[in-house]
Amino acid sequence: GRIVCLRPIRPEDEPELYDLLARTSAADRRFRFFASVNTISKQAMNRFTHIDYDREMAFIACTKTDSGRHETLGVIRTIADDSGHEAEFAIIIRSDIKNQGLGHALMGKAIRYCGERGILRLMGQVMADNKRMLDFARKEGFQATMNLEEKVYDITLDLRL
């Protein structure tokens, strides 16, 4: 029932990203960063909010609270390879608002953006125990293949289809 804006990330979004991580479960942070993460260093957060628009894009889903404060609900990031034909993505949604369609909206935005940039394939990795993300990816049309060496699923979406 709230209005959500999907837009490119900006440096001034940094405080809200810390709040997003604080409102995300330890399991969800582990699934996103592939490690137990309680906080992000200032240097890393700076890197997340100051992006290289030639190769990467990050979209945030944001809204205003009843008190008028800005809050970030989720982020999707894509980083293209040197050829510009493939891009890797990562996504995180605040744990308390999952299953409301926000992940699908962010993914759709990233897919459209990558397609417009001429990227042919979108890829990601999913931890084997992240069943929710595997189901989400399959619903979005990704193909999943178990990577036994890294003990993760490699997921790919052909954007030419």
Side-chain angles (χ1 to χ4, degrees):
R2 65 176 116 189
I3 296 172
V4 176
C5 174
L6 303 181
R7 64 165 174 77
I9 202 165
R10 299 187 295 238
E12 58 266 25
D13 293 321
E14 183 177 318
E16 288 82 18
L17 289 180
Y18 281 112
D19 187 53
L20 168 70
L21 290 176
R23 297 178 73 180
T24 302
S25 71
D28 285 342
R29 288 190 308 269
R30 182 177 68 83
F31 287 147
R32 165 57 180 88
F33 296 105
F34 285 64
S36 181
V37 173
N38 290 323
T39 189
I40 301 290
S41 72
K42 180 84 169 149
Q43 180 181 8
M45 191 62 80
N46 186 53
R47 172 75 184 95
F48 288 149
T49 57
H50 293 79
I51 61 174
D52 170 9
Y53 289 99
D54 288 335
R55 292 192 51 223
E56 60 187 301
M57 176 52 80
F59 293 106
I60 66 167
C62 57
T63 191
K64 290 202 178 205
T65 64
D66 291 337
S67 64
R69 191 177 71 80
H70 174 265
E71 71 180 341
T72 298
L73 307 173
V75 180
I76 191 164
R77 175 175 309 279
T78 63
I79 301 174
D81 66 3
D82 291 338
S83 73
H85 293 114
E86 296 181 338
E88 187 173 352
F89 83 92
I91 187 170
I92 190 166
I93 304 295
R94 207 173 75 192
S95 299
D96 64 327
I97 59 163
K98 287 189 173 186
N99 297 316
Q100 296 182 26
L102 191 56
H104 293 287
L106 280 168
M107 182 61 74
K109 181 94 170 157
I111 289 169
R112 285 187 302 278
Y113 172 81
C114 288
E116 290 166 3
R117 300 274 305 196
I119 292 170
L120 306 176
R121 190 166 72 148
L122 191 57
M123 305 172 302
Q125 288 191 319
V126 180
M127 296 176 81
D129 59 336
N130 192 348
K131 303 296 184 206
R132 180 183 251 168
M133 181 61 189
L134 285 170
D135 289 343
F136 169 82
R138 287 182 178 121
K139 286 177 185 170
E140 289 291 329
F142 284 82
Q143 300 297 311
T145 306
M146 182 59 165
N147 179 330
L148 295 173
E149 186 176 312
E150 295 187 40
K151 297 183 178 136
V152 298
Y153 283 92
D154 291 326
I155 59 172
T156 58
L157 179 67
D158 188 341
L159 299 179
R160 295 171 288 187
L161 302 178

